[in-house]
Amino acid sequence: MSTILIKGGTVVNATGTVEADVLVDGERIVALLAPGDQSLGPVAADKVIDATGKYVIPGGIDAHTHMQLPFGGTYASDTFETGTTAAAWGGTTSIIDFAVQKYGERVEDGLAHWHELADGNCAVDYGFHQIIGGVDDESLKAMENLVDEGITSYKLFMAYPGVFYSDDAQILRAMQKARELGLLTMMHAENGPAIDVLAAQLAESGKTSPYYHGIARAWQMEEEATHRAIMLSDLTEAPLYIVHMSAKQAVEQVAWARDKGKNVFGETCPQYLYLSLEKQLGASSEEWGDFEGAKWVCSTPLRSEEEGHLEAMWQGLRTNDLQMVSTDHCPFCMKDQKELGKDDFRAIPNGIGSIEHRVDLLYQGVVDGRISLSRWVELISTTPARMFGLYGRKGVVQPGADADIVVYDPNGHTSIGIGEGRTHHMNMDHSAWEGFEIDGHVDVTISRGRVLVEDGEFKGTKGHGQFLKRDLTQYLV
């Protein structure tokens, strides 16, 4: 067991900032010391990290990732090894991925398979949500074992008929079971059957480029499904968490429910804060022509900046109508993967790779005056820990917590993208964030007392990450 002393930094938690030295012994934080405090006598440590002029924050928690997800005839290009390594580079020390059950499959088999994929391969700690892609008597019975497995949240889809889709009756039954068990219901809220009709009509009229992915998945389809999910949640008294929100009208539905004191929560992603229908989905390049926009095909889709959706997401984060920013990290290469939909946007695998950049992209929001320093930490670490039953162990720099710590330099600089002098460690042949410049830098990433990233080098190993058995949500009103 080794000790680490992080000296001279400003500790930032969701509750505020304090000048303090942080002492780590083994895997845990054991003390926060006032600068120059000699009450415990001279503090000796095996390793001393100078954090003068820098922030010392809890490691990021990305609560929505999809490593190796089967989708659209291919698989997400990041493995648990490559994806969690990239996470560490970006200051994220825990992920929560999704174990998958599709129509006709058993929940237990899907969960066992995800354990096989992740076990011994993760550079950072990991947990699972459970996708219930076929709600029936058998899967409802299987939900009863999830809490004992340390899986206290599950996900339903109102989209993707024939793959993951649940109708209202299935959602009602699942929410009733979740209310009984204390599980948090996560919802992909889009009206999938209606979207499929719109997409088919566009394709039949020759509108097949990536831009029309965003047109088919109209904001009305997100608002309607969000409202419907909230009504089913209200009826069953089952807490509800809407994933990857992108439409301002859908966020208004969440705000309406929260104003009534309902346990309804909303998540957005970096792509909905910075990227748009006009600039990205509608992009063109010499290499790919108007298929360039495929790099940014994800669901829910990028929205129109002109219509005010991006600014509304930032506002939701400021007012806490949105509680969290996760990535929905689901990367695909352009070559041999995204290009499966070269002639029809409906065949483009849906997903963007962002796990390496979330902490930085949200910090830029601090620099730009959109959110406060403590709100940054709350969004990237503390609320994910509370929402998904990890707080105390994760999400805070305090004695007794896991030593998941990031030293962040506000005077540093990060150039995102592929190429010399730029950072890119995800297993992709392009970056959705090419050319983004961040006024800050992850200098050191520590996971359970082990230095993973320091001095521009990755010092971690696959297999360091441990499975996180999670408690019930700690965020209910």
Side-chain angles (χ1 to χ4, degrees):
M1 300 286 277
S2 62
T3 55
I4 300 173
L5 180 64
I6 304 171
K7 293 187 62 174
T10 300
V11 174
V12 186
N13 281 312
T15 48
T17 65
V18 63
E19 304 298 318
D21 298 339
V22 180
L23 182 62
V24 172
D25 188 0
E27 296 194 347
R28 298 291 178 88
I29 298 168
V30 293
L32 265 61
L33 307 168
D37 185 351
Q38 294 294 313
S39 61
L40 300 179
V43 177
D46 300 314
K47 179 179 179 65
V48 176
I49 296 173
D50 183 2
T52 302
K54 301 175 184 180
Y55 300 130
V56 180
I57 66 170
I61 301 170
D62 191 342
H64 188 157
T65 69
H66 294 289
M67 307 302 173
Q68 298 172 247
L69 178 75
F71 192 97
T74 185
Y75 291 83
S77 56
D78 262 324
T79 65
F80 277 94
E81 179 182 355
T82 63
T84 57
T85 298
W89 274 104
T92 288
T93 56
S94 299
I95 67 166
I96 311 180
D97 206 84
F98 288 82
V100 177
Q101 178 230 6
K102 294 183 185 176
Y103 282 5
E105 298 176 351
R106 296 176 70 249
V107 171
E108 298 91 339
D109 294 342
L111 179 55
H113 180 54
W114 244 252
H115 273 297
E116 289 172 10
L117 292 175
D119 185 35
N121 289 314
C122 293
V124 302
D125 290 351
Y126 64 97
F128 294 137
H129 313 286
Q130 178 66 55
I131 288 174
I132 306 292
V135 178
D136 55 24
D137 290 342
E138 185 179 359
S139 61
L140 290 169
K141 181 68 176 174
M143 286 172 66
E144 296 176 3
N145 299 320
L146 291 178
V147 173
D148 289 341
E149 297 272 354
I151 297 168
T152 54
S153 47
Y154 75 106
K155 184 180 180 183
L156 298 173
F157 287 80
M158 303 169 92
Y160 305 125
V163 184
F164 292 126
Y165 174 75
S166 293
D167 63 28
D168 291 351
Q170 291 171 313
I171 292 169
L172 177 69
R173 293 183 71 198
M175 284 185 169
Q176 288 172 333
K177 178 61 73 171
R179 178 68 179 88
E180 172 192 326
L181 299 171
L183 294 171
L184 179 61
T185 301
M186 306 174 74
M187 188 67 72
H188 179 131
E190 288 185 291
N191 189 323
I195 286 169
D196 284 359
V197 171
L198 294 171
Q201 291 172 344
L202 287 165
E204 286 164 9
S205 65
K207 296 175 178 177
T208 59
S209 71
Y211 177 82
Y212 293 102
H213 171 82
I215 302 303
R217 307 187 90 91
W219 63 258
Q220 290 92 338
M221 299 295 91
E222 185 182 346
E223 180 188 25
E224 183 277 331
T226 299
H227 179 77
R228 187 156 34 101
I230 289 170
M231 291 295 95
L232 291 166
S233 166
D234 188 44
L235 177 63
T236 58
E237 298 185 339
L240 174 67
Y241 178 97
I242 308 286
V243 299
H244 50 50
M245 301 193 73
S246 63
K248 63 182 182 180
Q249 296 87 350
V251 175
E252 288 167 2
Q253 295 296 315
V254 169
W256 170 79
R258 290 178 59 76
D259 287 348
K260 293 181 177 296
K262 305 301 182 184
N263 277 306
V264 176
F265 313 105
E267 162 200 280
T268 193
C269 305
Q271 52 265 36
Y272 309 123
L273 299 170
Y274 288 105
L275 309 178
S276 71
L277 172 72
E278 297 93 342
K279 293 177 183 175
Q280 276 77 34
L281 271 183
S284 182
S285 70
E286 187 175 336
E287 180 181 6
W288 294 103
D290 63 6
F291 192 67
E292 176 75 7
K295 293 176 179 177
W296 299 281
V297 165
C298 59
S299 298
T300 54
L302 303 185
R303 299 292 178 192
S304 169
E305 185 172 11
E306 192 174 297
E307 292 177 1
H309 295 286
L310 281 68
E311 185 54 47
M313 296 305 115
W314 282 110
Q315 179 177 313
L317 294 178
R318 285 194 296 275
T319 59
N320 206 39
D321 290 323
L322 292 169
Q323 291 72 49
M324 278 176 49
V325 179
S326 305
T327 59
D328 190 15
H329 178 76
C330 194
F332 297 97
C333 294
M334 284 289 278
K335 191 69 179 168
D336 297 329
Q337 291 192 304
K338 291 279 190 179
E339 67 177 354
L340 291 170
K342 193 84 164 60
D343 301 318
D344 187 341
F345 68 85
R346 293 174 296 176
I348 301 171
N350 287 206
I352 289 177
S354 302
I355 196 167
E356 187 175 350
H357 308 312
R358 182 183 64 114
V359 171
D360 283 324
L361 289 165
L362 267 291
Y363 182 72
Q364 192 62 43
V366 178
V367 175
D368 294 342
R370 293 180 175 275
I371 55 174
S372 70
L373 194 59
S374 288
R375 182 63 172 160
W376 170 53
V377 169
E378 190 173 14
L379 291 168
I380 64 170
S381 184
T382 306
T383 297
R386 292 181 63 200
M387 189 72 72
F388 295 111
L390 292 169
Y391 187 74
R393 276 191 289 169
K394 310 289 188 184
V396 62
V397 178
Q398 69 179 17
D402 284 356
D404 291 1
I405 300 169
V406 171
V407 178
Y408 197 89
D409 184 2
N411 298 309
H413 188 83
T414 303
S415 296
I416 299 178
I418 297 175
E420 188 175 348
R422 311 191 76 80
T423 100
H424 183 86
H425 300 91
M426 298 173 290
N427 187 31
M428 301 168 64
D429 62 4
H430 68 280
S431 173
W433 301 96
E434 190 69 49
F436 272 67
E437 303 290 342
I438 305 298
D439 296 315
H441 187 264
V442 173
D443 277 6
V444 183
T445 302
I446 300 170
S447 166
R448 298 194 335 273
R450 177 170 180 177
V451 174
L452 302 185
V453 175
E454 187 180 30
D455 298 328
E457 295 180 26
F458 181 71
K459 300 181 177 181
T461 57
K462 74 171 189 173
H464 165 76
Q466 295 180 351
F467 176 67
L468 296 169
K469 292 190 71 170
R470 299 184 288 112
D471 297 327
L472 298 181
T473 179
Q474 299 156 292
Y475 204 82
L476 302 186
V477 296

